[in-house]
Amino acid sequence: MSVTIRTTQITIPTYGIGEPDKNPEFIEKRVYQGSTGKVYPYPVVETIGDEKKDQQWQAVILENEYLAVTVLPQLGGRIQYATDKTTGYDFVYHNDVIKPALVGLLGPWISGGIEFNWPQHHRPTTYMAVDFETKHLPDGGKAVLCHDIDQIHGTEVVNEISLHPSVAYIQITAHTYNGTSLPQTFLWWANPAVPVNDHTKTIMPPDVNAVMDHGKRDVSRWPIATGTYYKYDYSRGVDISRYKNVPVPTSLMAAKSCYNFVGGYDFARQEGLLHVADHHISPGKKQWTWGSGDFGRAWDRNLTDANGPYVELMTGVYTDNQPDFTWLKPFESKEFTQYFMPYKAVGNVKNATIDAAVNLEFGPEDLASAAGETEGVDGQGLAVGQARVTVYATCVHPDATVSVESADGRVLYTWTGEISPVATHQAVFEMGGVADHHDVTVTVSAGGRTLVAYTPDKPVIDKIPEPAKATKKPQDVQTNEELLLDGLHLEQYRHATYLPDPYYL
């Protein structure tokens, strides 16, 4: 099937917002999401309506045989809906209503879909219209290009959202540009919301052993928390990758990873969402939740009528934490690409590319690591000396090969057949006396190239990072170089209350 694109009007029940303030405030020292909350010359909306009416929204709908994606240019160019057509699963959170709350930099903000946060968190234009045009790609794919100019700093972005023929992923390429004669800064965190319940968990890469708060002010072990985090006691050992186990509003940002993916998975549906991008450019991997307790349920009611809870699986470019910004020199452009895709059957992904995702699990030792959890834990149903491999692919490969080999060259398992977004592959095999799981490699290949491969990481010293420490006062800093770097840091990260000037002076 070819890719189609159409511009249309769709009806969504919508709660109204008040009129913007005609006289925007300067609010120089306002703190917003850990950085400056200055908004001039944008106006701020401070009221939300409590009645909903059917409203027409301009929409751009892209489809191929696997995916249907709806983009709303009137709401910052966000992806509002994304559906896996093979199962009907909304792999990003589908909100049936537009129900804003005063969460955004300028006031109104909505949950659901995929929001593209630029040049600041919950972008200034998240509830405003952006320019757009559609585009035909050389391979037969289609794209919608959304263009936005930040009125605060004069930087620009063109966000290209693409579908290609016969592949089950969304490609997002951002083109950022500083058309001013001064250095400027920006951040980029794509913000997909995913539906959650008692059977869902966040899938971080296997080398993530710690997560951090905003500004790296606090740190917790991952996935089994053993201390106090966000003032909540997890000392009994709690799997905080599971939505149901985190009762309070919490940010969890991977401290470090050498893998290119992060995801979320519903073990009841056996479906989920994956993000894939080069970790050298896009290292940020984050889960945000309102929490599964009373406070979180109250925010569910604030943001939707009937669609229930969600978490945000945020993905940062040029940063692994918030609110980190990167430089754009005068007249400089930066471009980067991210991919979002549904996936099935694989569960606890161990590695993923835009071509395929794989899980390799061993029994039964891993069962002990789940702090009392059983659903979706690696090793279930396996005996000692057995292993299981599961593979999902984003397009049809009629003659793919799944091969598992030991470090000494023995083939423990091999299979050739079709894998696709519909035809996943799973098999249990014997380890053949291989005692060390780190001596095993699974490789998925097709057409003479490797789609995805995985070798379990060797154990490392069980140490987690230290929280960050605030810089000293200018008069206590010992060298000019430190003073310069401190000033640059405050300027780059748009600190709301500390000025760089005293450090420079």
Side-chain angles (χ1 to χ4, degrees):
M1 175 182 172
S2 61
V3 181
T4 63
I5 188 168
R6 58 193 175 96
T7 301
T8 185
Q9 297 283 324
I10 62 174
T11 302
I12 307 175
T14 301
Y15 289 82
I17 62 172
E19 292 295 322
D21 189 340
K22 294 180 180 179
N23 301 295
E25 297 182 43
F26 287 93
I27 46 180
E28 290 293 316
K29 295 287 187 178
R30 177 193 183 199
V31 180
Y32 178 77
Q33 294 283 333
S35 62
T36 177
K38 290 190 294 185
V39 298
Y40 188 84
Y42 288 110
V44 174
V45 172
E46 296 182 334
T47 57
I48 299 293
D50 56 6
E51 294 183 8
K52 65 179 175 182
K53 299 178 181 179
D54 285 348
Q55 181 171 329
Q56 294 290 304
W57 293 92
Q58 191 173 43
V60 181
I61 300 174
L62 301 97
E63 288 193 60
N64 64 12
E65 60 263 56
Y66 299 122
L67 305 181
V69 179
T70 301
V71 178
L72 297 187
Q74 289 175 288
L75 289 177
R78 67 189 294 123
I79 293 175
Q80 185 69 8
Y81 311 123
T83 304
D84 182 346
K85 293 168 63 174
T86 68
T87 63
Y89 178 62
D90 293 308
F91 60 96
V92 298
Y93 179 84
H94 181 115
N95 200 342
D96 288 321
V97 296
I98 302 292
K99 192 174 186 179
L102 296 177
V103 174
L105 181 66
L106 304 182
W109 177 88
I110 61 171
S111 64
I114 304 178
E115 177 191 29
F116 301 105
N117 289 307
W118 168 94
Q120 194 162 334
H121 198 63
H122 294 321
R123 64 189 300 163
T125 54
T126 192
Y127 207 80
M128 298 170 66
V130 297
D131 297 330
F132 77 97
E133 65 179 16
T134 59
K135 179 180 179 181
H136 295 255
L137 304 175
D139 66 352
K142 305 292 191 298
V144 55
L145 282 68
C146 296
H147 174 232
D148 189 13
I149 299 177
D150 174 41
Q151 295 181 32
I152 302 172
H153 298 283
T155 53
E156 300 179 54
V157 68
V158 175
N159 191 29
E160 184 172 329
I161 302 167
S162 309
L163 278 190
H164 299 277
S166 303
V167 291
Y169 57 68
I170 308 168
Q171 178 179 329
I172 292 103
T173 300
H175 311 264
T176 62
Y177 177 64
N178 176 14
T180 77
S181 58
L182 295 172
Q184 306 290 351
T185 63
F186 76 96
L187 61 70
W188 178 279
W189 281 84
N191 185 14
V194 295
V196 289
N197 54 56
D198 285 351
H199 308 284
T200 52
K201 67 181 292 188
T202 294
I203 310 296
M204 291 283 189
D207 63 344
V208 175
N209 73 337
V211 288
M212 307 193 85
D213 183 20
H214 290 256
K216 302 185 177 179
R217 298 169 299 185
D218 199 4
V219 61
S220 170
R221 294 187 182 276
W222 176 275
I224 309 301
T226 56
T228 298
Y229 192 68
Y230 273 75
K231 299 181 181 180
Y232 192 82
D233 183 7
Y234 297 104
S235 58
R236 67 191 184 278
V238 178
D239 186 350
I240 57 174
S241 70
R242 296 181 178 271
Y243 162 75
K244 66 179 183 178
N245 291 342
V246 182
V248 296
T250 306
S251 286
L252 302 151
M253 286 174 257
K256 184 180 180 181
S257 178
C258 294
Y259 287 80
N260 296 331
F261 77 92
V262 66
Y265 196 73
D266 186 330
F267 283 92
R269 291 194 60 113
Q270 293 289 302
E271 296 184 85
L273 170 140
L274 279 175
H275 165 263
V276 174
D278 183 347
H279 74 276
H280 296 97
I281 297 170
S282 180
K285 299 170 174 64
K286 173 190 174 184
Q287 174 192 291
W288 154 258
T289 176
W290 291 104
S292 59
D294 291 342
F295 185 86
R297 286 189 286 270
W299 270 99
D300 295 339
R301 295 190 293 271
N302 286 343
L303 293 165
T304 187
D305 286 349
N307 296 108
Y310 71 96
V311 301
E312 298 170 8
L313 292 180
M314 301 183 64
T315 57
V317 173
Y318 305 121
T319 175
D320 64 354
N321 200 269
Q322 290 176 303
D324 294 9
F325 294 76
T326 192
W327 290 105
L328 268 177
K329 295 178 182 179
F331 312 111
E332 181 185 12
S333 177
K334 281 187 166 76
E335 298 181 4
F336 46 86
T337 300
Q338 300 175 290
Y339 298 86
F340 293 93
M341 65 190 73
Y343 77 107
K344 309 175 182 72
V346 178
N348 292 314
V349 174
K350 298 303 191 305
N351 199 13
T353 67
I354 63 171
D355 298 307
V358 65
N359 187 9
L360 181 63
E361 47 192 317
F362 306 93
E365 293 87 349
D366 292 340
L367 288 172
S369 68
E373 303 286 353
T374 56
E375 185 181 47
V377 174
D378 278 354
Q380 281 188 301
L382 297 176
V384 175
Q386 288 185 324
R388 179 166 50 227
V389 61
T390 311
V391 179
Y392 166 86
T394 57
C395 69
V396 176
H397 297 283
D399 295 305
T401 297
V402 179
S403 177
V404 184
E405 297 185 10
S406 64
D408 59 10
R410 286 184 293 147
V411 177
L412 305 179
Y413 174 77
T414 187
W415 171 87
T416 298
E418 180 175 296
I419 55 174
S420 74
V422 176
T424 59
H425 176 70
Q426 185 177 97
V428 175
F429 59 93
E430 301 296 326
M431 289 288 286
V434 178
D436 189 346
H437 301 163
H438 308 96
D439 289 336
V440 175
T441 297
V442 56
T443 304
V444 182
S445 57
R449 66 187 183 93
T450 298
L451 304 181
V452 67
Y454 171 67
T455 303
D457 296 299
K458 293 284 186 182
V460 295
I461 297 173
D462 188 22
K463 185 178 180 181
I464 61 176
E466 293 289 331
K469 294 181 175 63
T471 188
K472 299 175 183 177
K473 295 180 179 180
Q475 61 267 30
D476 297 327
V477 177
Q478 296 300 306
T479 69
N480 284 337
E481 182 180 27
E482 289 176 275
L483 287 164
L484 174 64
L485 292 175
D486 283 344
L488 283 172
H489 179 90
L490 294 171
E491 189 174 355
Q492 176 180 342
Y493 284 24
R494 300 190 185 183
H495 202 286
T497 55
Y498 281 72
L499 295 175
D501 311 44
Y503 293 87
Y504 291 153
L505 290 172

